[in-house]
Structures are given as structure tokens and as C-alpha cells.
Amino acid sequence: MPATATPTVLTARALLLDMDGTLVNSDAVVERIWRRWAERNGLDGDEVMSVVHGRQGHASMALLLPGRPVEENLADNARMLAEETADTDGVIEIAGAGAFLASLDGLPHALVTSADVALATARMDAAGLRLPAVRVTAESVGASKPDPEGFLKGAAELGVDPADCVVFEDSGAGIAAGRAAGMRVVGVGPRAVRHEPDVAVRDLTQVRVEAAADGTVRLRLG
């Protein structure tokens, strides 16, 4: 599905926002750190990069090294998170992210990310973006995307039925999680297009947010 050329309108009661690849472009640091990890573990870097987007690190490791003990993955993931949090070189906002977040002031929305609190804070700060008041991070869930737990928790915290939520995502794992939660998904950027979201946009400059009189949020996409 190409980025939508004809404007599309979606109506929702809440928006659930992924971070990496959706609000923040952190691809440079993700590539640096995960390709080093691939080399240390004798894996092909391209194969590793095809798996890691959207998932918690230990979940990616479990897929890439299926025979490795869970405890080793968790310890390795903790080290990786510390590396990622310290390295913000090249982290910038996705085009239009600042204006998009500003347009959500006073409207129901939440961040739903596979990053932990420290990493989410570091990357949003590096990109010059405000953190939404409602946040579902790695510490908040027992299962990583593509499991829908994070999005379902975000909807519950906002007091909104999952069917009335729209998810913004860039990765295959994230898009699958949104679908599994029973939500509509707006795919952001070229990575999302391959996973057939309900609507795809090039970046957040193609999103307009309007508050309707009945309390719903109207999204004009394209």
C-alpha cells in the first residue's frame, strides 16, 4: 500500500502512538548498536535488522537466538538498553512530529513503546519532543509487540474502547499488535508500507487533527 495520495478521514476517541520510527527517527543508533550485537553473536546484520524494529530487545534476541536462555537475553537486553540510552547521536523527530503532538493537547492520547522509561525519555528529549502524559513502556507490560498488551493497556488507561482507538506505527510487529488489539492502524513511513496498515502516510506532515464537538478526534490523512 503506497502512502495515501487521496485524503482519508478517520474518526477515533483516542490515539495510541508508537515512538521509534513513528515520532522519533532513531534508525542511526539502532543500526549502530544492533549491528555490533549481530557481529558479537555471529549473526548476519541484515537479518538482525529485519527483526528488531518494534520489539523489545529480549524478544528480538529470543527470535534470533532461539536456543539461548531467557536470563541471558534479559541480561544482554539490559546492557543494550543502557547503550541505546547513552547514544542519542542522530536521533531526530520524524517530520511533523512536534506539530502533531502539539495538536493533540487536551485530546486523549498515549505513548505505547517497546522502549523503557529511560530510553523513551532520552530519545524524545533528543528529538525535542514532549512526552505524552499517559505512557505505556517496556516496564508496563509482560509481553512485547506483536502482542497487543501494550495497546490494550493504553486504551484502558485512557478509558476508551479498543475499537475506538487509532494506532500510529511504523513496524511490522507494531502494526500486528495494533490489529490484534482490534484497532485501526495508520502506518508511518516506508517501513510501515510493507505491512499493509489501514492507511499509510509518508510522515506526520500528512496528518491533520481536529477535535469534533461530540468529543471524537477526526484525522485527515494524506
Side-chain angles (χ1 to χ4, degrees):
M1 179 188 296
T4 182
T6 304
T8 299
V9 178
L10 296 178
T11 300
R13 293 200 172 274
L15 307 184
L16 302 177
L17 316 174
D18 175 51
M19 182 182 71
D20 290 300
T22 301
L23 298 173
V24 170
N25 182 345
S26 56
D27 283 358
V29 61
V30 172
E31 288 268 346
R32 282 195 296 273
I33 287 176
W34 277 98
R35 285 187 182 276
R36 286 201 299 265
W37 182 88
E39 188 174 352
R40 287 197 302 270
N41 288 278
L43 298 175
D44 178 74
D46 290 340
E47 179 188 356
V48 168
M49 295 313 302
S50 73
V51 168
V52 300
H53 291 291
R55 291 182 171 85
Q56 292 186 36
H58 65 84
S60 296
M61 293 170 190
L63 289 173
L64 292 160
L65 297 171
R68 197 161 78 154
V70 171
E71 295 76 15
E72 192 172 341
N73 289 338
L74 291 172
D76 209 0
N77 183 56
R79 289 189 292 271
M80 294 275 284
L81 281 171
E83 283 185 64
E84 290 186 276
T85 301
D87 184 356
T88 56
D89 187 27
V91 174
I92 59 173
E93 72 168 301
I94 295 292
F100 173 63
L101 285 171
S103 73
L104 296 180
D105 281 347
L107 300 176
H109 67 287
L111 186 73
V112 181
T113 175
S114 294
D116 64 5
V117 170
L119 181 56
T121 302
R123 286 190 174 161
M124 291 289 278
D125 283 350
L129 299 174
R130 69 161 181 83
L131 276 164
V134 178
R135 300 184 283 273
V136 178
T137 60
E139 297 94 336
S140 310
V141 297
S144 171
K145 299 171 186 176
D147 191 281
E149 181 185 358
F151 287 124
L152 292 172
K153 282 199 168 183
E157 287 202 33
L158 294 170
V160 176
D161 189 276
D164 291 326
C165 295
V166 168
V167 165
F168 282 74
E169 263 287 359
D170 73 299
S171 70
I175 290 169
R179 284 212 185 96
M183 301 172 182
R184 292 157 292 162
V185 181
V186 176
V188 180
R191 191 157 46 230
V193 172
R194 299 194 294 272
H195 303 285
E196 299 185 348
D198 295 292
V199 183
V201 294
R202 180 186 62 250
D203 55 42
L204 295 171
T205 65
Q206 291 192 306
V207 181
R208 295 289 179 272
V209 178
E210 301 170 359
D214 63 357
T216 60
V217 180
R218 187 173 296 113
L219 299 169
R220 298 189 182 277
L221 307 159

